[in-house]
Structure formats: structure tokens, C-alpha cells
Amino acid sequence: MPRIRRSFVVAAAALAACTAAALTLGTTAPAAAAGTGPRAARQGAAEPSLTGSGKLARQPGDDVRFRLDAHGFADGARGTFFVSHHLGKDWGGYAKGRIDCLLTGGPVAVATGVVTESHFKNAPGLPEIGDLRGKRFGFTVLDGGKEDRLGYSWAMDGLPKNSVGKCLGSAPFETLEKGGFTVHHWMPPREPAGR
């Protein structure tokens, strides 16, 4: 085989091998790196989330429960919340609504939402809650693995009467008796300074 022709064949074979390797790695490496299944989809999500439910650790007969399902960044967040509080059989009720803000920082999430439906049964000697529709409340969660904590914006009011601004909540001061929450932290990329 002439020398020029042999060089051409060797170069063509090397180019074909490199192209095949690049095509093979290009299609399988991202799939392998990303993993498969729902967990991989959640971990790869380009948005923060706060999900879960829990019953607060309280005295017998004082039953307080929270359910949060929030996804999205800042005031682009969406989702739902549900809160119920019952003291014995005579007093209690619930409020539920739509999430309107979510921010995360590591294992901590702060979400707010506006009440769309509420119903409380009053009893003599116990607080009158009234209609909560249209009020914005804040929820703060510390995802501590098996020792999650939760806070809510009406902690200082005593009763859920006052609205708060978007993405504002209290420190997560309550502990859970059962249940748990999961915080997925995510922040959008920041522009370098000076741009």
C-alpha cells in the first residue's frame, strides 16, 4: 500500500474511533450521571421545594397539624398548605390555602400562603378565630432529618389574625411528635459583581 494511502486509512480509522467513542459517551454519560427514577428527578429539579406533614408535640387533647407542599422560587412559588388545630372535642378547625412564596437556605425553608378556606368551631372560654380567608401566613421549617422543627407567623399574635409579607415567618420553635418535612435547597445562579 502506498505511503499516502496508508496514512489516510490510519487517520480515517482514528477519526471513526474517536467519533464513535464521543457519540457513545455523549449519550450514556449524562444518563448515568443523572441517575434514574423519581429521586433523580427531584434532586435535579431547578427549583426549591418544601414538602411534608407533621403533628406538633403538644399536651394530650391539643392536636395541631400542618401539611405543606410548596415548589418554586420566591414569589413564583406555587402549592398548597393545610393547618388544623383542635382542643378536645369542643373547639377547633382548619385553614387551607395556596402558597405564594418560598425561599430556602440549606435545611431551612420559609413559605407563605394565602388562606382560601377556613372553618373553626368556637367554644365558651376559648378563643374565637373567625374567618381567615384572604390572610397571608408564614411557615418556617428546619429539616433536621428525624428531628424537624416548625414555626408559624402567628406565634407572637397568639391567634392567626394578622397577615405577613411574602416569605416571612418565625423561627422554627415547635417540635414534631410525628411526621416530617423535606427541604430541597436551590437558588438561581447569581450574576458576577460589576455586570
Side-chain angles (χ1 to χ4, degrees):
M1 196 184 283
R3 190 167 250 209
I4 294 175
R5 193 170 178 191
R6 188 178 331 147
S7 312
F8 176 73
V9 170
V10 170
L15 180 61
C18 288
T19 302
L23 288 174
T24 302
L25 291 175
T27 57
T28 60
T36 59
R39 182 172 172 85
R42 282 193 308 270
Q43 288 177 340
E47 66 177 10
S49 64
L50 165 59
T51 57
S53 62
K55 178 181 180 193
L56 299 185
R58 294 282 182 92
Q59 296 296 319
D62 190 1
D63 188 357
V64 184
R65 298 171 188 259
F66 288 80
R67 185 173 61 239
L68 301 165
D69 183 24
H71 304 267
F73 179 69
D75 59 1
R78 68 212 174 276
T80 59
F81 69 89
F82 179 87
V83 180
S84 68
H85 189 176
H86 295 273
L87 281 172
K89 296 178 182 179
D90 296 329
W91 182 92
Y94 70 89
K96 63 182 181 177
R98 61 177 174 75
I99 297 292
D100 67 356
C101 196
L102 173 65
L103 290 175
T104 60
V108 178
V110 178
T112 51
V114 176
V115 177
T116 57
E117 181 182 328
S118 74
H119 176 73
F120 278 87
K121 176 182 167 188
N122 295 316
L126 293 171
E128 289 189 26
I129 298 297
D131 190 3
L132 300 175
R133 286 178 293 178
K135 295 189 183 292
R136 177 182 292 116
F137 297 128
F139 311 97
T140 306
V141 169
L142 169 62
D143 180 355
K146 294 184 179 187
E147 296 181 10
D148 294 350
R149 300 181 72 85
L150 184 136
Y152 39 87
S153 61
W154 60 94
M156 294 304 294
D157 297 336
L159 295 175
K161 298 265 184 201
N162 298 317
S163 288
V164 297
K166 285 186 175 184
C167 279
L168 294 178
S170 72
F173 60 94
E174 296 266 17
T175 57
L176 299 183
E177 179 179 311
K178 64 180 178 179
F181 295 93
T182 301
V183 173
H184 172 73
H185 173 65
W186 179 88
M187 291 289 287
R190 294 184 183 199
E191 291 291 323
R195 281 194 181 185

